[in-house]
Amino acid sequence: MEDPLVRQEAIAAALKNKDFRTAATLIQAWQKQDPKDPRLMLTIGQYQEATERWEAAEKTYVRLLRVAASQKLMTQARQGIQRVQQQLADARAEALETARAQPGNLDPGLLCLEPVQGEQRKAAAQGLAKIMQLDPYTAGLQLPSKGWRLYRVGPTGEMHFYSQALTEVNTPAFAAKHADVKALQVFRVQYLRGVQPQVEVVCQNAEGQLGAIAFDWSEVSQIVTGQLPVFESVLDTNVRNQLTRKEKTQDYAEVVDLHFHQRRCLLRLCDRTYNFSQGNPLPNAATIPDKSLSTRPQWNALVTYIREQTQVPVQGGFAHFGEGALEYLDLLPSLPPHIDLARGEPCHWDAAFHLYSGLHFLRRADTVPA
């Protein structure tokens, strides 16, 4: 049997000369003769490193560190890990700079994590930890299990880089350009004037101009729903039993967005602003109870009717997204919410819903025929 040290030196010389075919042949012969030799594992790591298979080399060095009996091999394994991790960090930094340098990639963008459940969570958390340089426990806490999570904002190129990197390590994520959400046309529905054979709605555009739009139910590609908190100023007592005025959630406004990908626009309905006195052309409008007491039965009947006529995916889950998105909205350019709720003070919840609906629009745009 050939001396392992001699073979190891021969492989090192081949790698130095970039003679990777000879190095691979020698490694294969060594594997047949003594596959459990720890020095073989070190040499395989060096071969992977020389051929720029950084991640494979890192895994090999980590395995060697677990089984190495001698201090020398352990030191060599640690040095290999350090070299590979530095190469990966340099490559990541270079890729980020390249991504930022592309035209338009410095424009504001955002990165979202998609929910992961069950057995996939462990791999997804490990991927998030690796790409974002986190410890696995922290990554697991940041990974959503229900609904999207707005995870980071920054230059669009950087956000797309992280999205691709996370997807490659089984951590579902996506990136979007803020301007693409802002560019979507939104029409605020005042009321429906007819529902058959075509739907006709009276609505306002972004400039507040009133007009009518007719469409077929089949044109609706998806529906996004959400509930927005409605705050009121109420009297409360503090720890000293003194009366103070606070903003508290007293109710929720329901918003329903109808997406039209072929027209590249969306219609937005809100239970607080829909004018039932002007239009309720549902076939069963006469049978809806308690119309004089509340508009809630009419609204529920309207939403149910829309869902029955469209039979398209309905995207809920805004509550989970909205709570996490509020802290990021100040870091992005202003986003008009296109929601007419009477609010005493500015509220990020409305813009958060518009962002959520817009992201769903952009995500589905690639799957809907133009």
Side-chain angles (χ1 to χ4, degrees), residues 12-13 21 39 66 70 73 123-124 143 199 201 223 225 239 241 261 269 296 300 315-317 331 346 355:
R21 179 176 296 181
R39 289 171 294 184
R66 292 171 181 166
S70 73
L73 276 177
L143 194 67
V199 191
V201 299
I223 296 173
T225 66
V239 293
N241 207 31
H261 280 85
L269 297 86
R296 177 54 52 184
N300 291 342
Q315 310 294 349
L331 304 177
L355 177 61

Side-chain angles (χ1 to χ4, degrees), residues 6 91 118 148 172 267 277 300 331:
V6 175
W148 294 344
L267 298 182
S277 64
N300 291 342
L331 304 177

Side-chain angles (χ1 to χ4, degrees), residues 72-85:
K72 181 179 179 180
L73 276 177
M74 292 177 66
T75 299
Q76 290 174 311
R78 291 193 182 97
Q79 291 172 344
I81 292 172
Q82 291 174 354
R83 289 194 306 270
V84 169
Q85 288 181 342

